[in-house]
Amino acid sequence: MSHQIEIKRKFKYPVHQVWGALSSKEALSDWLMETSDFALSEGHQFQFRTKPRGGFDGVVHCEMLEFKEPESMKFTWKASNWPQPTTVVWSLSSIGESETLLTLSHNGFVGINGWFTKKMLGFGWKNLLGKKLENYLSA
Amino acid sequence: MRRDPWQAIADPTRRKIIEILTDQSMTISDIANRFDISRPAISKQLKILDESNLINITQEGRERTCSLTPEGLQEVHDWVLQYESFWMKKLDRLDDYLSK
């Protein structure tokens, strides 16, 4: 069982403008997380930094896998304390001339959370999960 | 000592231990019998799982019994939910950024 996060969001800005916010390190540092070495280059490794918490030192290690300006971008995403990387994919498409549909997919949790989810469900925790989920959603 | 559960599940032997404990609680000897590695090596892995709050070890007579711990598992599971929320917030920020 694998788990994937997929979020679609419409922006009232043209594709090239949204792409610009996803592909410049200044923009990413502003809205996503601090990065000093992001670059649009396949195979390029870069990092995002945020506040450390718990077992996480605040550094996310990434590698640009592929990109097609201004339609898609795919890179790995591995917090320093994860056993293996996950993958983030941005997909952009135009809605008319001035709007953009942005799709974020974050997947690759097979070995981490997907495995865990499966174990937990096998353990008969659906009720507990439901309760926790409800608390989470109403928080 | 409190360990990071992510690191605890990064190891295949420890994942296998969790896997067999999802079916039932087991004594350390029973667990060790399922593996081709030495009992001290298994004990070491169990100690790490215990310190990560993923399992509970209780003394029952002469034997020690291991069972899975809800809280530790929950912590790891909650993570994906948190991550989805992380991205939602970031996309709000992206919208703010674009409107500047």
Side-chain angles (χ1 to χ4, degrees):
Chain A
M1 184 197 278
S2 68
H3 189 102
Q4 169 166 335
I5 294 171
E6 187 177 279
I7 303 171
K8 289 183 189 287
R9 187 76 72 96
K10 197 167 106 177
F11 291 94
K12 292 185 164 126
Y13 303 91
V15 148
H16 70 87
Q17 201 177 336
V18 177
W19 175 264
L22 298 175
S23 59
S24 106
K25 63 185 178 191
E26 290 75 18
L28 289 166
S29 296
D30 182 291
W31 69 268
L32 181 54
M33 275 197 258
E34 194 65 41
T35 177
S36 59
D37 52 5
F38 174 91
L40 266 186
S41 165
E42 284 177 10
H44 175 70
Q45 297 186 353
F46 56 98
Q47 298 178 335
F48 286 106
R49 286 174 187 277
T50 185
K51 267 184 271 171
R53 59 178 178 275
F56 174 48
D57 68 5
V59 183
V60 178
H61 301 268
C62 302
E63 181 181 340
M64 185 62 67
L65 296 176
E66 55 189 57
F67 65 94
K68 189 175 176 198
E69 187 175 351
E71 290 166 20
S72 64
M73 191 190 303
K74 181 175 176 182
F75 52 94
T76 63
W77 181 280
K78 181 185 176 298
S80 51
N81 59 335
W82 294 357
Q84 64 189 63
T86 56
T87 309
V88 172
V89 182
W90 294 116
S91 306
L92 299 82
S93 58
S94 291
I95 306 172
E97 298 218 327
S98 59
E99 295 188 332
T100 303
L101 179 69
L102 177 65
T103 307
L104 161 78
S105 307
H106 192 168
N107 55 49
F109 302 120
V110 180
I112 314 171
N113 207 81
W115 175 83
F116 232 82
T117 305
K118 195 167 132 191
K119 292 304 131 206
M120 288 194 56
L121 293 177
F123 197 42
W125 291 51
K126 281 182 179 169
N127 288 336
L128 179 69
L129 265 185
K131 227 179 279 174
K132 278 271 192 178
L133 181 59
E134 214 175 275
N135 292 344
Y136 171 82
L137 293 170
S138 63
Chain B
M1 184 187 169
R2 183 75 168 86
R3 284 179 188 266
D4 178 3
W6 292 102
Q7 278 171 3
I9 63 167
D11 177 84
T13 302
R14 292 196 291 268
R15 281 207 297 270
K16 183 76 190 161
I17 293 173
I18 293 176
E19 211 158 328
I20 62 177
L21 286 175
T22 53
D23 296 330
Q24 56 184 328
S25 300
M26 289 175 86
T27 63
I28 292 180
S29 312
D30 287 341
I31 295 169
N33 288 340
R34 300 273 195 110
F35 293 88
D36 288 334
I37 52 180
S38 70
R39 188 176 156 137
I42 287 291
S43 291
K44 193 181 147 204
Q45 303 292 16
L46 290 172
K47 186 163 180 276
I48 292 169
L49 288 171
D50 187 26
E51 287 169 353
S52 311
N53 195 27
L54 290 170
I55 65 166
N56 216 341
I57 305 177
T58 50
Q59 189 83 37
E60 282 179 22
R62 289 176 58 202
E63 278 287 2
R64 297 208 298 154
T65 301
C66 305
S67 55
L68 291 184
T69 314
E71 295 77 14
L73 294 167
Q74 190 66 46
E75 185 180 327
V76 180
H77 184 83
D78 282 350
W79 175 85
V80 159
L81 292 179
Q82 285 165 15
Y83 235 80
E84 193 149 342
S85 153
F86 163 86
W87 282 118
M88 297 292 235
K89 282 181 198 145
K90 291 301 182 185
L91 291 176
D92 289 344
R93 286 181 54 101
L94 170 58
D95 203 33
D96 293 343
Y97 176 82
L98 289 165
S99 68
K100 273 185 202 171

